[in-house]
Amino acid sequence: MLLPLIEVVSTLKVDKFLSQIQSFRISPSKIHRNLSVDDLVKIAVDKKEGVINSTGSLSVNTGKYTGRSPDDRFIVYDDKTHNTVDWGKVNHQFPSGKFEKLLEKMKSFVNNKELYVFDGFVGADKDNRLPIRVINDHVWQSLFARNLFIRPTNEELENHTPEFTILCINNFEAVPAVDGTESNVFIIIDLTRKIVLIGGTQYAGEMKKSMFSVMNFLLPEKGVFPMHCSANIGKDNDTALFFGLSGTGKTTLSADPNRKLIGDDEHGWSDNGTFNFEGGCYAKCINLSQEAEPEIWNAIRPGAVLENVVLNNNQPDYDDNLLTENTRVAYPLDYIPGAVIPSVGGHPKVIVFLTADALGVLPPISRLTKEGAMYHFMSGYTSKLAGTERGIKEPKSVFSECFGAPFMPRPAAVYAKVLGEKITKHNTVVYLVNTGWSGGPYGVGKRIKIKYSRAMVTAAINGSLNIVKYKHDDLFNLDIPTEVPDVPSDILDPKNTWTDKDSYSLSAKKLAQMFVENFKKFQNVAPEIISAGPVYHA
């Protein structure tokens, strides 16, 4: 009886789609399915969800929540997850029964409402992709989903059967005392029902990161290594990977005019090579300049979604952080000139671990052994930067396993083991690059210039660092190149950039101690991996 009551706006046959909607047991008054960019933007403007700014992109504000809400993210605890998920401060348990009740409340909430559906995929490798359905109550979020996930062909759309569904209803808020959530906001992943529930927040990044978490759980069972990294490929088909948390430079440094972009954030590494999970990019915009980041600057055009960027006379002011430091733009991958479509590459020749060291003591670049790479991968040292999460106002030193702990459901050792195997099998060289501070900690020193970081990465990828001399840092157990093309040699050793050498020594020993103490939480780690990390004796 539900089918005739639902109006579906689509250019394709919808019989199969309507049957699936009925099976999901929702009965909205109208569904817009996989609309064109022009239609999505027009409806968003008509509904006053956003405005067209001077670049032609759609400007939106996400309201109270301008970053992820990690304390409101849960995974349903059941037979599938009880001994496979690394439960703790990152992966919070949610009762299966409570999930079912909340799901039913959300289904009732959307009855007789207008909804927007995007059907597509996560994963550019057809052997490893996941068919998904994203259901939204805000049209601009459907445009975001269209930009960030992989868009289907018409034939794929007509035959689409989702294996995972995101029900993202911004206007629905939880009642913590009743629903079992921490606040009115919730992001709950049910790996058995294959449903993600999102409510109470308009921050669109929750959709993409929840599906990233899903892939990070599913792929290791298939022997595929999921990675929080960006990837690009050179003229000689040499693939490079860039690991790092938000704000460390993954998007910026992988958007290289001399190389083709595979993707800027989420990838898998299978026996066939590297593949992007996404069909778009979600780049930070704070202090964006055309000179430093021309590819991102030029991608902000019609069809892109600009989040929380202040407009002055309808022109984006990328230096204004009035709304948040975490300003963003979402655009399709093909907005980057020369982007690889479909976004797949070979086995990486070079891996770059990116860290934003707020203490200012790590060298700008150093080369890692395989054991050192496994150590730093498991450690995942970086700084959470302002705005990427609620409550983060200035850089805070953290250890985030696998350079992506907020999105890794399984224990770090599961991922690190595969990394070590692949480094050995494919002779991959790994570098640690500090894109954070130099000359002192945050507030005293200065952030390392992006042009220097880019020059270092270029040298690592093109082989220039294979022929230079290195010196060993005994404290951090790192090999530091003595020269890098187009980079002043005096900044390569961070101690040289500090005026107060004693303060440097104290800060360096402090960080080394932090590494050692953090690594104690890992059990049954091979001695050669432990000994590859910093050396600190109290």
Side-chain angles (χ1 to χ4, degrees):
M1 295 297 293
L2 293 176
L3 291 179
L5 301 178
I6 303 175
E7 179 187 352
V8 178
V9 180
S10 174
T11 58
L12 302 174
K13 294 179 181 179
V14 295
D15 293 353
K16 182 177 181 180
F17 171 75
L18 276 171
S19 178
Q20 293 169 354
I21 291 295
Q22 185 183 41
S23 296
F24 193 64
R25 301 204 334 270
I26 58 173
S27 54
S29 60
K30 189 175 185 178
I31 295 178
H32 302 264
R33 186 195 190 204
N34 285 65
L35 297 186
S36 68
V37 170
D38 290 344
D39 287 342
L40 290 168
V41 171
K42 183 180 185 304
I43 296 172
V45 172
D46 289 345
K47 289 183 174 293
K48 295 182 169 42
E49 291 183 8
V51 298
I52 304 299
N53 61 56
S54 61
T55 69
S57 62
L58 179 70
S59 279
V60 299
N61 292 338
T62 63
K64 180 180 179 181
Y65 303 105
T66 58
R68 291 185 300 104
S69 300
D71 293 337
D72 298 307
R73 172 192 173 275
F74 302 89
I75 298 175
V76 171
Y77 181 88
D78 58 18
D79 290 344
K80 188 180 186 68
T81 61
H82 76 279
N83 63 357
T84 54
V85 169
D86 186 22
W87 302 109
K89 294 181 179 179
V90 171
N91 297 308
H92 309 125
Q93 297 180 7
F94 199 82
S96 181
K98 287 282 189 181
F99 180 92
E100 185 66 37
K101 291 178 180 178
L102 190 58
L103 172 61
E104 292 305 313
K105 287 176 67 173
M106 292 184 74
K107 287 179 178 180
S108 297
F109 183 83
V110 302
N111 282 347
N112 300 312
K113 288 183 170 63
E114 193 170 6
L115 297 179
Y116 305 88
V117 168
F118 171 79
D119 282 340
F121 303 96
V122 180
D125 180 351
K126 291 189 177 182
D127 292 333
N128 293 291
R129 71 183 183 182
L130 182 70
I132 65 165
R133 171 163 294 156
V134 186
I135 304 173
N136 299 105
D137 60 346
H138 281 67
V139 63
W140 80 261
Q141 296 224 329
S142 195
L143 176 58
F144 176 95
R146 187 188 190 282
N147 283 351
L148 264 294
F149 297 119
I150 294 176
R151 297 162 289 283
T153 64
N154 285 345
E155 182 180 359
E156 289 172 337
L157 186 57
E158 285 203 358
N159 297 300
H160 191 80
T161 300
E163 292 185 24
F164 242 91
T165 298
I166 303 175
L167 184 60
C168 179
I169 308 300
N170 301 160
N171 290 342
F172 180 91
E173 297 186 355
V175 180
V178 176
D179 299 315
T181 58
E182 288 294 316
S183 73
N184 62 314
V185 173
F186 57 92
I187 306 95
I188 311 175
I189 301 169
D190 191 322
L191 292 159
T192 298
R193 293 181 181 87
K194 299 183 177 181
I195 296 172
V196 177
L197 302 182
I198 301 174
T201 174
Q202 290 190 48
Y203 182 66
E206 299 286 15
M207 290 187 288
K208 100 181 207 84
K209 287 306 185 186
S210 63
M211 288 314 304
F212 184 40
S213 298
V214 168
M215 294 293 277
N216 289 335
F217 181 85
L218 297 177
L219 289 183
E221 293 180 344
K222 301 175 65 175
V224 178
F225 180 37
M227 307 173 293
H228 186 213
C229 71
S230 57
N232 62 25
I233 190 168
K235 296 175 182 177
D236 297 327
N237 292 321
D238 56 309
T239 299
L241 305 180
F242 303 79
F243 285 79
L245 282 188
S246 181
T248 56
K250 291 194 316 302
T251 298
T252 300
L253 293 172
S254 58
D256 185 331
N258 296 314
R259 297 174 63 83
K260 294 182 178 180
L261 183 70
I262 298 173
D264 79 327
D265 195 35
E266 306 170 1
H267 293 82
W269 186 356
S270 72
D271 288 340
N272 297 322
T274 306
F275 65 95
N276 192 356
F277 288 173
E278 302 182 293
C281 302
Y282 193 37
K284 289 177 70 70
C285 292
I286 195 68
N287 301 321
L288 179 68
S289 72
Q290 188 172 13
E291 178 184 5
E293 300 168 276
E295 292 81 17
I296 299 172
W297 178 279
N298 292 326
I300 303 176
R301 60 180 196 258
V305 180
L306 208 56
E307 281 187 4
N308 300 314
V309 175
V310 172
L311 299 181
N312 290 322
N313 297 320
N314 207 41
Q315 292 187 342
D317 185 346
Y318 301 114
D319 297 325
D320 194 327
N321 63 355
L322 176 67
L323 298 176
T324 178
E325 287 279 335
N326 191 36
T327 54
R328 295 274 182 170
V329 59
Y331 51 85
L333 189 62
D334 58 15
Y335 276 28
I336 297 295
V340 180
I341 309 288
S343 46
V344 297
H347 299 289
K349 300 293 185 184
V350 171
I351 292 177
V352 178
F353 290 162
L354 297 167
T355 179
D357 175 27
L359 295 177
V361 294
L362 281 182
I365 187 168
S366 51
R367 187 176 60 189
L368 303 176
T369 63
K370 181 191 79 171
E371 291 76 19
M374 295 175 71
Y375 181 96
H376 283 277
F377 180 72
M378 292 181 70
S379 298
Y381 171 71
T382 190
S383 302
K384 286 184 180 178
L385 301 186
T388 54
E389 290 182 6
R390 286 159 53 192
I392 303 297
K393 301 298 183 183
E394 62 181 46
K396 177 184 177 183
S397 295
V398 295
F399 291 89
S400 183
E401 297 99 297
C402 312
F403 292 101
F407 324 114
M408 300 294 175
R410 296 181 184 271
V414 172
Y415 306 106
K417 180 176 181 292
V418 185
L419 171 65
E421 291 170 350
K422 290 192 176 293
I423 288 174
T424 298
K425 184 175 181 180
H426 301 289
N427 297 313
T428 306
V429 183
V430 185
Y431 294 90
L432 179 67
V433 172
N434 174 23
T435 61
W437 279 258
S438 181
Y442 170 82
V444 177
K446 293 183 179 180
R447 191 114 191 229
I448 296 170
K449 291 182 179 180
I450 189 172
K451 67 177 182 179
Y452 294 155
S453 295
R454 194 179 290 281
M456 287 182 251
V457 167
T458 297
I461 292 173
N462 68 21
S464 296
L465 298 187
N466 294 337
I467 57 175
V468 301
K469 293 181 179 180
Y470 286 78
K471 67 177 182 179
H472 192 72
D473 184 299
D474 293 331
L475 178 63
F476 289 113
N477 212 353
L478 296 172
D479 292 320
I480 306 171
T482 56
E483 57 180 307
V484 177
D486 301 319
V487 178
S489 295
D490 59 343
I491 75 166
L492 296 176
D493 185 340
K495 188 174 184 178
N496 294 336
T497 66
W498 284 59
T499 302
D500 188 335
K501 308 302 182 186
D502 291 337
S503 293
Y504 166 81
S505 295
L506 287 173
S507 293
K509 290 177 181 178
K510 175 184 175 182
L511 181 56
Q513 182 182 17
M514 289 167 61
F515 268 101
V516 171
E517 291 300 317
N518 173 74
F519 212 79
K520 289 178 180 179
K521 67 188 176 188
F522 300 115
Q523 303 295 319
N524 302 317
V525 179
E528 57 267 26
I529 296 175
I530 298 174
S531 62
V535 179
Y536 174 80
H537 301 290

